[in-house]
């Protein structure tokens, strides 16, 4: 099979431009921090010296800014915690300080974080702090927002059962849509996410828009879901926050009780706070304002979940007397990794100004590679990773592979499976091939290979505009009477089927028959051209859930996958292998000690760190994503934090924050890949990387990738003064190495880019791969 080819080597570059530069561009480095700790500036004569001496004896060595945050007692405190700056240590030490130095009772402390894992870690670390014990930490409230609010509701009489099974929740939505005659119209997961977005901004279902037919249908679905929960005496996770908010608003006695009880409040990951969570904290802290919030506005990457960046940016407007402490020393990464992060994020405008210092010298600077495409990228990564493990310096658990979107992981997962390397995918449990827009195409291929595959038959029915239940009922009924070689033919017996619909059905069966002898790529392309792209364009599910470019992107990735195989049968067998591996991975996830490579989107990686990080597909159109380059389509509900701001600018800044988060996950080694071609189109390195290097060619604002090829509007150089500006682009090229020969030729296709060598047409000397600037006007 084609896909077993291995790319044995790929050049590493010190900059993301993918070429050897004639003049060395300076590599961004963070300044090294002066390594001091509390023993240097907390005198033995200070009244709290005993506390810091105890910490020092436990090797908890706080820097000056950390000590300032820990010592803060009364009033609001904004702690800006840069990546790797020890925010959890500060939170835990400050709680211990309040308990030991100020003799605050444990029951008066409330520490809120976002994940159950983080809450458990903080509780464990508090228990191990000098002078504290289990009885004190057990009395404290160290909880997630949801756990705190649920406890509050239970104590005030809430009896409803929690709808905690997401799959059951999806089934409820499917049943509602079936009852409305809207089965297969919308994707349950996306409806749930959309409803959550509205709720977390305190938008009631009754107040949802009804401007279009889709708006009306979605609103009816949501209202029926709310009615079902009420009848079944159930609430979902969003309801926990909403009901707690309403309880505090409507019951002043409960609110006053909380205000008296929790006189010191700390909130972790404050940049991830949504409107409901923010309002709840504000209400409880209103009287005393002893509120410590810890977060990093540069890591606000969850606006689609309602996170509001301005809660940090405007903290002093709400609390004018607030003190600010900036934790600006990074203890995680080397100076060149911290420096790259600084150089990327400094170009954002809507941020608190801070530049991180480093504590580790750089043995290895970030390296950049420029593979031909995503499949060559995966080949290179596997080879590089295996070399690192074989040399004995690294083990599989040291590696993280990060990417912007889940579809970016398709090629690397294939290679990991082919080479039987241990890995865990922290994304969806579903395979790429099980995505709702991909699976119908796979079902058509399955039918071509196995015409009586009834599961696949059910999968193709929606694209024929036939309901699954109705279609399968008549097929099964007629099969019981007389089985057919092609059971789909039974659909001709559907009542009220018009002549043109019958003809379309016959054409579809003829199409499916023809697919068996095609190459997989050709088969996918025929399906798309014949009906599937048009079907998605008119499908309500597509309109609601995905920007057109994202649909196209996913199907283009499917074509890239199909192109690796010689027959439909081979392709389907490999998809089966992927599904089997997914089952194994589900069990592996539970084993946190397993020595496995970690795969995840950048969003999933926030808060984590790894010795070695590979960042894939760092190109224009993917980082920033094409949807951010055309952010006007984004609904206001998904752009919660940009009131009064340009959506495009806000979306682009969030994409830059994503790049910053990805870079700062690496502790020792960072390898960044920017393929020359992306899904068949020429691509450029991400503007976020280029902007980090002084003198690098800027990537100008461009039309979205849906309107032009990704990378077609290339980096421009300013023209000489007095001359009209000449639009240029940097192109991959063969360049003659012979002294005095100026011959070069453009690399115009992925196939040509795969060549290892080429002879000069003028002097026959060897040519090497490089790049040239060319005019766009010729």
């Amino acid at each position: 099979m084609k896909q077993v080819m291995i790319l044995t080597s790929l050049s590493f570059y010190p900059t993301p431009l993918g070429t050897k530069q004639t003049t060395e561009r300076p590599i961004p480095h963070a300044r090294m921090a002066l390594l001091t700790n509390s023993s240097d500036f907390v005198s033995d004569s200070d009244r709290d010296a005993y506390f810091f001496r105890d910490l020092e004896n436990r090797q908890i060595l706080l820097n000056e800014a950390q000590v300032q945050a820990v010592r803060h007692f009364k009033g609001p405190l904004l702690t800006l915690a840069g990546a790797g700056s020890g925010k959890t240590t500060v939170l835990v030490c400050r709680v211990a300080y309040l308990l030991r130095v100020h003799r605050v009772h444990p029951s008066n402390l409330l520490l809120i974080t976002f994940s159950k894992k983080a809450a458990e870690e903080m509780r464990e670390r508090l228990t191990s702090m000098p002078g504290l014990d289990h009885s004190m930490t057990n009395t404290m409230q160290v909880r997630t927002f949801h756990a705190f609010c649920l406890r509050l509701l239970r104590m005030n009489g809430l009896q409803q059962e929690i709808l905690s099974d997401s799959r059951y929740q999806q089934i409820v939505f499917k049943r509602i849509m079936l009852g409305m005659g809207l089965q297969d119209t919308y994707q349950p997961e996306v409806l749930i996410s959309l409803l959550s977005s509205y709720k977390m901004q305190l938008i009631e279902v009754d107040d949802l828009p009804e401007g279009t037919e889709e708006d009306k249908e979605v609103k009816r679905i949501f209202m029926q879901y709310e009615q079902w929960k009420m009848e079944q005496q159930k609430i979902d996770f969003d309801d926990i926050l909403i009901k707690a908010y309403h309880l505090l608003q409507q019951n002043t006695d409960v609110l006053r009780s909380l205000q008296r009880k929790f006189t010191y409040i700390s909130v972790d990951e404050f940049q991830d706070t949504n409107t409901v969570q923010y309002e709840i904290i504000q209400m409880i802290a209103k009287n005393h304002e002893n509120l410590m919030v810890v977060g990093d506005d540069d890591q606000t990457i969850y606006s689609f979940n309602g996170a509001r960046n301005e809660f940090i940016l405007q903290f002093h407007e709400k609390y004018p007397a607030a003190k600010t402490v900036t934790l600006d020393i990074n203890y995680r990464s080397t100076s060149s990794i911290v420096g790259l992060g600084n150089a990327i994020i400094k170009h954002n405008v809507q941020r608190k100004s801070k530049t991180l210092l480093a504590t580790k010298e750089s043995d290895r600077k970030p390296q950049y590679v420029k593979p031909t495409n995503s499949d060559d990228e995966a080949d290179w990564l596997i080879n590089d990773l295996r070399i690192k493990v074989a040399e004995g310096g690294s083990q599989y658990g040291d590696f993280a592979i990060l990417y912007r979107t889940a579809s970016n992981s398709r090629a690397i997962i294939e290679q990991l499976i082919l080479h039987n390397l241990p890995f865990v995918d922290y994304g969806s449990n579903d395979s790429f091939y099980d995505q709702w827009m991909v699976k119908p195409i796979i079902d058509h291929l399955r039918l071509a290979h196995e015409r009586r595959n009834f599961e696949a038959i059910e999968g193709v029915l929606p694209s024929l505009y036939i309901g699954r239940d109705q279609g399968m009922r008549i097929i099964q009924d007629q099969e019981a009477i007389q089985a057919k070689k092609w059971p789909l033919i039974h659909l001709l017996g559907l009542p009220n089927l018009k002549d043109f619909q019958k003809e379309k059905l016959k054409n579809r069966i003829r199409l499916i028959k023809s697919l068996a002898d095609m190459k997989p790529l050709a088969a996918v392309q025929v399906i798309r051209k014949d009906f599937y792209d048009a079907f998605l364009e008119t499908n309500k599910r597509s309109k609601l859930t995905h920007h057109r470019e994202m649909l196209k992107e996913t199907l283009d990735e499917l074509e890239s996958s199909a192109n690796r195989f010689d027959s439909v049968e081979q392709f389907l067998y490999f998809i089966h292998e992927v599904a089997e591996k997914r089952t194994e991975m589900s069990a592996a996830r539970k084993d946190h000690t397993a020595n496995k490579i970690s795969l995840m989107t950048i969003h999933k990686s926030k808060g984590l760190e790894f010795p070695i990080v590979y960042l894939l597909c760092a190109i224009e159109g993917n980082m920033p994503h094409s949807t951010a380059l055309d952010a006007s389509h984004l609904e206001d509900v998904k752009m919660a934090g940009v009131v009064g701001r340009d959506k495009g600018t806000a979306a682009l800044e969030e994409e830059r924050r994503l790049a910053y988060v990805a870079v700062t996950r690496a502790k020792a080694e960072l390898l960044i890949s920017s393929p020359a071609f992306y899904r068949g189109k020429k691509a450029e390195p991400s503007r976020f990387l280029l902007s980090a290097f002084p003198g690098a060619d800027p990537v100008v604002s461009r039309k979205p990738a849906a309107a032009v090829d990704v990378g077609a509007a290339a980096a421009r150089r300013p023209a000489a003064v007095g001359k009209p500006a000449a639009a240029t682009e940097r192109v991959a090229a063969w360049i003659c190495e012979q002294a005095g020969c100026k011959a070069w030729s453009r690399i115009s296709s992925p196939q040509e880019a795969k060549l290892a060598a080429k002879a000069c047409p003028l002097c026959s000397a060897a040519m090497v791969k490089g790049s040239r600037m060319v005019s766009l006007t010729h």
Side-chain angles (χ1 to χ4, degrees):
M1 292 189 287
K2 291 181 182 177
Q3 76 278 9
V4 297
M5 181 190 76
I6 290 294
L7 187 69
T8 56
S9 65
L10 205 59
S11 297
F12 289 100
Y13 298 103
T15 77
L17 301 179
T19 58
K20 294 178 181 178
Q21 305 301 309
T22 54
T23 58
E24 184 84 9
R25 298 189 190 278
I27 305 298
H29 275 78
R31 288 191 299 112
M32 299 299 292
L34 182 63
L35 291 178
T36 60
N37 60 63
S38 53
S39 64
D40 298 310
F41 44 81
V42 176
S43 167
D44 285 340
S45 61
D46 291 351
R47 61 178 293 270
D48 57 3
Y50 68 92
F51 178 80
F52 293 101
R53 299 294 93 89
D54 286 348
L55 293 184
E56 291 155 14
N57 290 334
R58 296 284 184 93
Q59 292 301 302
I60 302 173
L61 306 174
L62 303 181
N63 63 45
E64 190 168 4
Q66 291 174 329
V67 169
Q68 288 177 22
V70 168
R71 276 176 158 170
H72 182 79
F73 184 36
K74 294 286 187 180
L77 170 67
L78 170 61
T79 305
L80 293 172
S85 62
K87 71 175 179 63
T88 303
T89 297
V90 169
L91 273 165
V92 169
C93 288
R94 199 243 177 179
V95 168
Y97 189 89
L98 290 172
L99 291 169
R100 293 190 60 198
V101 177
H102 291 295
R103 302 297 179 184
V104 175
H105 195 275
S107 64
N108 296 137
L109 294 172
L110 174 61
L111 176 51
I112 293 289
T113 188
F114 273 78
S115 72
K116 183 179 178 182
K117 181 180 177 183
E120 290 171 350
E121 179 190 349
M122 286 187 187
R123 199 175 287 111
E124 288 174 9
R125 290 178 66 170
L126 278 166
T127 303
S128 66
M129 292 293 285
L132 304 190
D133 55 35
H134 280 288
S135 64
M136 297 177 76
T137 54
N138 288 340
T139 309
M140 255 184 293
Q141 292 286 311
V142 184
R143 298 181 182 274
T144 65
F145 268 106
H146 283 86
F148 172 74
C149 290
L150 181 58
R151 186 172 186 271
L152 172 64
L153 293 171
R154 293 295 193 214
M155 290 174 65
N156 285 275
L158 181 89
Q159 300 294 323
Q160 286 99 319
E161 182 183 354
I162 308 300
L163 185 58
S164 57
D165 187 339
S166 60
R167 292 197 177 275
Y168 182 44
Q169 195 177 17
Q170 292 170 24
I171 290 170
V172 173
F173 271 84
K174 286 180 180 179
R175 288 175 178 168
I176 290 169
M177 287 188 285
L178 180 63
M180 295 172 61
L182 295 173
Q183 61 268 36
D184 301 315
T185 304
Y186 300 109
Q187 191 179 13
E189 306 96 288
V190 178
L191 286 176
I192 293 167
S193 175
L194 183 60
L195 178 58
S196 178
S197 296
Y198 284 122
K199 283 185 170 183
M200 292 303 97
Q201 292 179 68
L202 295 173
I203 299 172
E204 300 286 346
V205 173
D206 287 342
D207 297 329
L208 295 183
E210 297 184 51
T212 67
E213 188 60 35
E214 287 81 13
D215 287 341
K216 293 175 183 176
E217 287 179 353
V218 169
K219 184 172 181 177
R220 283 171 54 212
I221 293 169
F222 289 164
M223 292 183 75
Q224 289 203 27
Y225 172 64
E226 296 299 322
Q227 180 66 28
W228 177 86
K229 283 188 298 180
M230 187 171 65
E231 293 171 354
Q232 299 295 319
Q233 286 289 294
K234 295 182 186 293
I235 60 172
D236 59 30
F237 282 121
D238 291 331
D239 294 328
I240 293 172
L241 299 182
I242 293 294
K243 287 184 178 296
Y245 167 76
H246 287 310
L247 174 66
L248 297 182
Q249 267 208 326
Q250 296 162 9
N251 193 322
T252 54
D253 289 339
V254 172
L255 178 58
R256 286 198 194 101
S257 173
L258 292 182
Q259 290 171 338
R260 285 192 298 269
K261 179 178 177 62
F262 298 116
T263 50
Y264 293 90
I265 302 172
S266 302
V267 182
D268 187 22
E269 301 285 8
F270 191 64
Q271 77 279 347
D272 294 336
T273 308
N274 61 42
T275 301
V276 180
Q277 293 163 338
Y278 180 68
E279 292 295 333
I280 289 172
I281 290 298
Q282 291 251 26
M283 284 191 279
I284 299 173
K286 184 176 180 180
N287 288 346
H288 52 73
E289 293 191 347
N290 293 328
L291 173 62
M292 176 192 191
V293 299
V294 182
D296 184 5
D297 54 301
D298 289 332
Q299 296 186 65
T300 308
I301 59 174
Y302 293 117
S303 67
F304 62 90
N305 276 346
R308 301 285 292 266
N309 201 33
E310 75 267 26
F311 292 154
I312 277 187
L313 297 179
Q314 299 171 9
F315 191 76
H316 281 79
E317 294 179 21
K318 181 67 181 178
Y319 300 101
K323 178 181 178 181
T324 298
V325 174
T326 301
L327 307 181
D328 60 357
I329 299 178
N330 181 295
Y331 294 94
R332 172 189 298 155
S333 310
T334 62
S335 62
S336 57
I337 292 172
V338 177
L340 178 60
N342 287 339
I344 287 172
I345 201 62
K346 72 179 183 181
H347 294 280
N348 268 6
V349 175
Q350 294 292 326
R351 66 184 292 259
K352 295 280 189 180
S353 179
K354 54 187 172 297
T355 302
L356 296 189
L357 306 176
T359 56
K360 299 177 182 177
E361 295 284 0
S362 296
D363 293 330
R364 296 185 179 183
K365 299 176 179 65
Q367 294 180 305
Y368 305 85
V369 296
K370 193 162 187 173
T372 306
N373 53 33
S374 295
D375 289 304
D376 283 349
E377 178 181 63
D379 290 340
W380 155 75
L381 192 158
I382 293 295
N383 189 57
D384 188 70
L385 189 152
R386 292 175 76 179
I387 289 172
K388 284 179 168 61
V389 172
E391 289 174 347
S394 304
Q395 54 184 351
Y396 293 120
D398 293 335
F399 298 93
I401 302 172
L402 308 184
Y403 31 82
R404 170 64 182 83
T405 65
S407 63
N408 296 145
S409 67
R410 190 274 310 165
I412 186 62
I413 286 177
E414 288 185 1
Q415 288 301 321
L416 288 166
I417 289 173
L418 279 170
H419 292 91
N420 200 31
L421 296 181
F423 73 100
V424 180
D425 179 7
Y426 288 92
S428 168
N429 285 322
D430 294 331
S431 161
F432 169 80
Y433 307 101
D434 286 329
Q435 293 186 50
W436 71 266
M437 74 289 285
V438 173
K439 192 171 183 299
I441 294 181
I442 304 302
D443 284 334
H444 279 80
L445 298 181
R446 286 186 173 121
L447 278 183
H449 182 60
E450 185 186 355
R451 57 198 174 198
R452 291 182 58 79
N453 184 325
F454 289 95
E455 183 181 344
I457 289 173
E458 183 176 351
V460 307
L461 291 180
S463 66
L464 288 163
Y465 299 97
I466 295 172
R468 292 175 187 261
D469 291 342
Q470 182 190 25
M472 292 308 296
R473 191 180 305 115
I474 192 168
I475 288 173
Q476 289 163 356
D477 289 348
Q478 293 302 310
E479 277 288 295
I481 298 170
Q482 183 179 3
K484 298 281 189 182
K485 285 184 178 180
W486 290 88
L488 270 176
I489 203 73
H490 291 306
L491 295 174
L492 292 172
L494 278 170
N496 304 318
L497 206 63
K498 295 181 174 58
D499 289 340
F500 79 90
Q501 292 174 302
K502 291 180 180 178
E503 192 57 37
K504 280 186 177 293
L505 176 59
K506 291 175 183 176
N507 288 338
R508 183 68 61 85
I509 294 173
R510 281 193 287 269
L511 173 71
I512 292 171
K513 289 179 179 179
S514 72
L515 300 176
D517 297 325
M518 292 184 185
K519 297 276 189 180
L521 173 61
V524 173
Q525 290 173 335
V526 164
I527 292 170
R528 291 185 64 180
K529 183 178 179 181
D530 187 81
F531 70 92
Y532 197 66
D533 281 356
F535 167 72
L536 289 180
E537 282 288 325
T538 59
N539 189 276
K540 291 177 181 178
R541 176 190 285 193
S542 307
K543 290 180 182 178
L544 179 69
T545 64
H546 283 265
H547 184 234
R548 182 179 64 178
E549 181 62 20
M550 294 181 72
L551 288 171
K552 181 178 182 299
E553 172 185 295
T554 303
L555 297 184
D556 286 349
E557 188 62 36
L558 176 61
E559 289 189 10
S560 296
S561 178
N563 194 34
R564 308 266 281 173
F565 299 85
D566 293 319
S567 71
V568 169
E569 184 177 7
Q570 284 180 352
F571 188 33
L572 292 174
Y573 179 76
F574 186 77
I575 292 171
H576 173 73
E577 280 189 291
V578 171
E580 291 290 311
K581 192 70 175 181
R582 290 277 175 184
T583 303
E584 294 176 23
M585 285 194 303
S586 295
R589 276 190 185 185
K590 299 173 184 176
D591 183 4
H592 297 296
T593 62
N595 182 27
K596 298 178 187 293
I597 303 158
S598 297
L599 274 73
M600 65 190 75
T601 63
I602 301 170
H603 283 99
K604 289 277 186 182
S605 75
K606 193 170 81 68
L608 303 178
E609 58 183 39
F610 305 91
I612 303 170
V613 168
Y614 293 95
L615 176 57
L616 302 188
C617 210
I619 58 169
E620 287 291 298
N622 191 59
M623 188 184 295
H625 196 271
S626 56
T627 51
L629 300 177
D630 181 26
S632 60
H633 74 282
L634 292 173
E635 298 175 43
D636 289 333
V637 69
K638 294 184 179 179
M639 296 294 288
V642 302
V643 178
R645 293 177 56 202
D646 173 66
K647 288 182 183 180
T649 301
L652 199 59
E653 291 210 347
E654 180 147 344
E655 290 290 308
R656 187 177 283 109
R657 292 194 293 269
L658 267 173
Y660 172 75
V661 167
V663 164
T664 54
R665 298 311 93 197
K667 296 169 67 175
E669 196 169 349
L670 175 64
L671 302 102
I672 301 177
S673 170
S674 302
F677 294 87
Y678 184 53
R679 292 165 185 157
K681 297 176 182 177
K682 181 179 165 296
E684 299 168 0
S686 167
R687 68 184 70 187
F688 303 144
L689 298 177
L690 296 182
S691 68
F693 291 84
D697 300 325
V699 179
V700 300
S701 297
R702 66 199 64 211
K703 294 180 181 179
V708 297
D709 287 356
V710 174
R716 269 73 167 175
R717 292 186 189 274
V721 175
K723 294 182 180 180
T728 61
E729 70 173 344
R730 183 177 294 278
V731 300
W734 291 103
I735 301 169
C736 183
E737 282 193 307
Q738 183 69 29
C741 182
K742 297 183 178 180
W744 70 277
S745 64
R746 186 168 180 160
I747 299 176
S748 57
S749 70
Q751 290 73 28
E752 188 179 358
K754 288 183 179 180
L755 296 176
K758 184 175 179 177
C760 176
L762 296 183
C763 67
S764 298
M767 301 184 86
V768 296
K769 293 175 184 176
S771 71
R772 276 287 188 270
M773 297 300 297
V774 300
S775 171
L776 290 175
T777 58
H778 297 293

